[in-house]
Amino acid sequence: MTPPLVFGLPGNERLARELAAALPGELGQLESRRFPDGETYLRLRADPRGRQVVLVATLDRPDGKFLPIAFAAGAARDLGARSVGLVAPYLAYMRQDKRFRDGEAVTSADFARLVSASVDWLVTVDPHLHRYHALAEIYSIPTRALAAAPLLAAWIARNVKAPVILGPDAESERWVAEVAAGARAPWRVLRKARHGDREVAIAFPDLGGFAGRRVVLIDDIVSSGQTMLAAARGLAERGFAPPVCLAVHALFAEDAAAALAEAASAVVTTDTVDHPSNAIALGPLIAAGVAELLEA
Ligand code: R5P
């Protein structure tokens, strides 16, 4: 069969190259620029006719990224692609999964409808599933949610002596237990109450038995950094050394990275979103997930 044709949207060229090499597929060039008035020009510089097309675009800061994806998918379809899929290592808009106040947009469902209308399948990593149990509840296309937990566990086992793993909230309990089992470490979860975009209060369980262990705070997303900062502050008050902060998706709004670097002994993330803290490469995991989906 003709190999899939992989296009990296701007900023995603590295992962597109890795995917094209691993699948194996053909790397297609995509030309994109802004017109002086801010609108997008987009051109596929490889012929998608009859091909399985893979678009690669992680979705941090998603508002400016979605239209180019929709345009690339539209062009591929118009030009006769057999199928068009999206690899979005970080999937945006999963956290507004409920109407918390009257009149709010439930953006997780709205965004899922837009993506589902634009592409034929979606591969992502650790989407924030809190009130939803699976992407299928809001996405109407085939999806694969890949799990970074085994790679986080392996990183901890290799790099942290005598760790204790702490998760941010009750909802993370299963995920935290899975990472901890892989790292052969004890674990607990904190209790988080969010009072605003940057206001987070953390309650601690009894950590009495863990004196002398190195705390590894894990979370799926670091955004404002306030969850990890509040946890690190609470740990210091309880006499623990600065923790290792480990997350999947390095969103790091504004000054979050600098503030966290001061409070942590190390800040480590996967490469779903490019950031200086990236130390866990997910290219092979993503390539395996995409290959499986293309075969299916
Ligand atoms: C939310 O429930 C997630 O698991 C993260 O804890 C959250 O997105 C982190 O956000 P922030 O860095 O803004 O505290």
Side-chain angles (χ1 to χ4, degrees):
M1 205 205 294
T2 332
L5 185 53
V6 183
F7 292 100
L9 276 288
N12 296 271
E13 292 81 2
R14 177 185 54 79
L15 181 57
R17 260 196 317 276
E18 287 176 20
L19 269 181
L23 287 173
E26 183 191 337
L27 189 62
Q29 296 307 315
L30 182 148
E31 192 182 324
S32 155
R33 64 184 169 81
R34 295 250 179 216
F35 287 110
D37 54 21
E39 293 183 9
T40 295
Y41 169 88
L42 192 137
R43 178 184 174 206
L44 304 182
R45 302 196 61 176
D47 185 2
R49 191 172 315 274
R51 310 280 297 268
Q52 292 177 306
V53 167
V54 179
L55 303 176
V56 183
T58 203
L59 282 168
D60 60 306
R61 288 134 188 109
D63 293 11
K65 294 184 177 169
F66 177 71
L67 274 183
I69 293 171
F71 294 152
R77 281 182 167 162
D78 281 355
L79 294 168
R82 199 170 107 207
S83 64
V84 183
L86 173 64
V87 177
Y90 171 67
L91 182 59
Y93 283 117
M94 287 300 292
R95 284 169 292 175
Q96 182 84 22
D97 54 3
K98 170 182 157 177
R99 183 163 291 115
F100 297 93
R101 297 163 65 195
D102 289 351
E104 282 180 350
V106 183
T107 50
S108 51
D110 293 330
F111 193 65
R113 271 192 290 275
L114 290 170
V115 173
S116 299
S118 300
V119 295
D120 300 311
W121 54 262
L122 168 73
V123 169
T124 188
V125 178
D126 286 333
H128 186 80
L129 294 170
H130 175 183
R131 291 176 184 84
Y132 304 120
H133 298 104
L135 288 175
E137 287 173 44
I138 44 174
Y139 281 80
S140 57
I141 51 175
T143 57
R144 288 277 187 290
L146 307 170
L151 294 163
L152 300 188
W155 186 92
I156 295 169
R158 271 199 315 275
N159 294 286
V160 187
K161 228 161 111 184
V164 54
I165 319 282
L166 291 190
D169 47 31
E171 297 78 44
S172 66
E173 197 163 299
R174 262 182 53 193
W175 181 67
V176 174
E178 190 188 336
V179 174
R184 296 177 186 281
W187 61 275
R188 293 286 184 275
V189 290
L190 308 170
R191 297 274 178 256
K192 172 165 85 173
R194 186 176 283 282
H195 302 297
D197 290 349
R198 293 173 169 279
E199 288 85 48
V200 169
I202 298 275
F204 278 74
D206 178 16
L207 299 178
F210 300 126
R213 282 189 173 262
R214 169 70 66 182
V215 175
V216 182
L217 289 173
I218 66 171
D219 206 342
D220 57 347
I221 299 169
V222 185
S223 177
S224 70
Q226 292 303 317
T227 302
M228 287 220 175
L229 279 169
R233 264 183 239 119
L235 286 166
E237 284 161 18
R238 287 163 180 77
F240 284 88
V244 173
C245 292
L246 180 57
V248 180
H249 305 296
L251 298 189
F252 287 112
E254 295 149 19
D255 55 351
L260 201 55
E262 280 195 10
S265 64
V267 180
V268 171
T269 58
T270 79
D271 60 357
T272 59
V273 177
D274 273 348
H275 189 263
S277 61
N278 292 169
I280 302 175
L282 300 190
L285 173 79
I286 294 171
V290 173
E292 199 184 289
L293 203 140
L294 287 176
E295 274 162 32

